[in-house]
Amino acid sequence: MIGTMTQTRTTTTREAIFAAATVLFLERGYARTSVRDIAAEAGFDAALVIRHFVSKERLFIDVMAASGDHQLPFEGDRGHLGERLIRSILEADDRVR
């Protein structure tokens, strides 16, 4: 019984963080959204954001991948992720921008 309660709480925490990040990334963008902002919006400590998503970058990638509106180029060398992401956005139709 305790394991089920912990799993439910973990899922709820993760979902709340994900929802808060989605809203803030949309409103402010990546650069103007901090892990502390996401945590405050979700009602949790910033350490929980990192515990559940490892990094702000990973959370952003998860949010973008879940949007489903546009397939972004997250696979491949992380060193060139920014370049691939910008190229993908610039080459996309107006609906994505």
Side-chain angles (χ1 to χ4, degrees):
M1 182 73 164
I2 292 175
T4 303
M5 287 175 37
T6 302
Q7 185 177 15
T8 301
R9 190 175 328 125
T10 298
T11 301
T12 303
T13 301
R14 185 176 174 84
E15 289 171 352
I17 292 168
F18 188 87
T22 301
V23 168
L24 293 175
F25 286 140
L26 181 62
E27 288 177 356
R28 301 179 185 175
Y30 179 84
R32 291 181 293 167
T33 301
S34 71
V35 170
R36 287 184 178 162
D37 293 336
I38 295 166
E41 180 75 17
F44 297 106
D45 187 80
L48 280 176
V49 175
I50 300 305
R51 179 176 178 193
H52 285 278
F53 292 94
V54 181
S55 69
K56 177 179 139 181
E57 177 185 64
R58 185 71 244 172
L59 176 53
F60 179 74
I61 290 170
D62 288 352
V63 167
M64 294 302 294
S67 72
D69 290 340
H70 179 65
Q71 197 65 350
L72 296 173
F74 295 119
E75 300 301 322
D77 176 29
R78 291 178 75 181
H80 294 94
L81 175 61
E83 181 182 328
R84 289 193 316 272
L85 182 59
I86 296 300
R87 183 177 295 121
S88 173
I89 291 169
L90 292 175
E91 293 173 355
D93 62 23
D94 288 334
R95 183 179 54 84
V96 175
R97 289 187 218 143

